[in-house]
Amino acid sequence: MKNWLTLEPDRVKLMNKHYTPGRAGNKIECVVVHHNAGVLTIDQIWDVWQTRQASAHYQVQSDGVIGQLVWDADTAWHAANQYTNQRSIGIEVSNSAGASQDWPITDTAICEAGRLIAAVCLHYNLGRPVSGDNVRYHREFYGTSCPYHLAPGGKYNAALMAEAQRFYDELKAKKNGTPAPQPKEEITVSEADRIIRHITDYISGFVGPIGSDTKDVRQQLTGGRDAGDYRGWPQLGKDSQGRNLTVVDAIAALRVELAEFRAEFDKHVEEN
Ligand SMILES: [Zn+2]
């Protein structure tokens, strides 16, 4: 698109038949998504619709170029349902190969189609694109599989809608002159499992043994196991209150005795 905010397409190649001028007074309420079931450029689909009683407002080529074939203000014949045609914008997306390859669509075309949905929703005040609400699908109105992989449950629908919603937020922010909201970081279930496993492994493999070692050291120093339950060591002797000495108490007592012995020794050397 040349301009998403004003809905100016890359190319305009208007149908001269197989559409209805105006919308009989109806407002645009939704977009209807189609796939070509064909590999077609703007010129080629124009040829097809000139010979068949059908049309849509926009054609998205495989290279992402978007063409306008019916003005938004007019009624295109795309949903095989006059009520819906008068109240919707028809968006056609080209396939990049045929039935033998199960009608693939390029990433570029899916992306541009998503952005076009967003731009139409914003331009006509239809709100943020929501599948089944302001974003509808051909098969809802007619006995067809169209838009096939682009429809809910199809392999391209999630990518189409994700880009439509992301781009809607970006375009709306641009229109309002506010910064675009940043996508939230999300933790997937498998990531959460991995983090929980990492923490569990860390505790059982590293923190647990350190805690156990610390308790061993305390037990060897004090003879006690839990805080306030320091039994000390009977083989180190007892303090003045009759309690067993701890290793630290015993070493302190030993230092006092050693100092006394040394003083005694020095005095003896001096005297002799
Ligand atoms: Zn269709």
Side-chain angles (χ1 to χ4, degrees), residues 173-269:
K174 190 178 171 189
K175 185 181 174 187
N176 297 339
T178 54
Q182 295 302 308
K184 287 194 196 105
E185 268 190 47
E186 286 179 13
I187 297 178
T188 63
V189 172
S190 67
E191 267 180 296
D193 283 348
R194 192 180 57 74
I195 292 166
I196 290 166
R197 197 165 59 246
H198 178 78
I199 292 171
T200 308
D201 288 352
Y202 180 75
I203 290 169
S204 62
F206 186 69
V207 176
I210 287 176
S212 178
D213 287 352
T214 305
K215 284 177 179 173
D216 287 349
V217 171
R218 189 180 68 190
Q219 196 152 7
Q220 285 172 19
L221 284 172
T222 66
R225 185 69 182 81
D226 300 304
D229 182 29
Y230 295 159
R231 291 186 287 105
W233 296 86
Q235 57 270 57
L236 294 176
K238 295 185 186 298
D239 63 14
S240 58
Q241 282 148 351
R243 292 175 304 201
N244 293 334
L245 296 182
T246 67
V247 171
V248 173
D249 289 341
I251 291 171
L254 209 54
R255 287 189 73 228
V256 170
E257 273 184 44
L258 200 59
E260 284 171 1
F261 177 80
R262 190 177 186 127
E264 203 63 39
F265 181 80
D266 289 347
K267 196 174 151 200
H268 184 75
V269 168

Side-chain angles (χ1 to χ4, degrees), residues 52-66:
R52 190 194 295 169
Q53 293 195 345
S55 61
H57 296 92
Y58 295 96
Q59 165 74 355
V60 181
Q61 294 184 166
S62 289
D63 61 2
V65 171
I66 296 175

Side-chain angles (χ1 to χ4, degrees), residues 22-51:
R23 287 180 175 272
N26 296 291
K27 275 183 162 177
I28 294 165
E29 294 171 1
C30 64
V31 303
V32 176
V33 180
H34 303 259
H35 79 145
N36 284 172
V39 183
L40 299 168
T41 63
I42 294 160
D43 294 313
Q44 287 168 330
I45 203 151
W46 185 90
D47 287 339
V48 169
W49 289 337
Q50 285 293 112
T51 57

Side-chain angles (χ1 to χ4, degrees), residues 20-27 73-75 82-83 85-87:
T20 307
R23 287 180 175 272
N26 296 291
K27 275 183 162 177
D74 295 330
T75 302
Q82 191 190 40
Y83 181 94
N85 284 342
Q86 287 176 339
R87 292 164 178 80

Side-chain angles (χ1 to χ4, degrees), residues 4 47 97 129 142 208 272:
W4 293 110
D47 287 339
Y142 188 70
N272 295 282

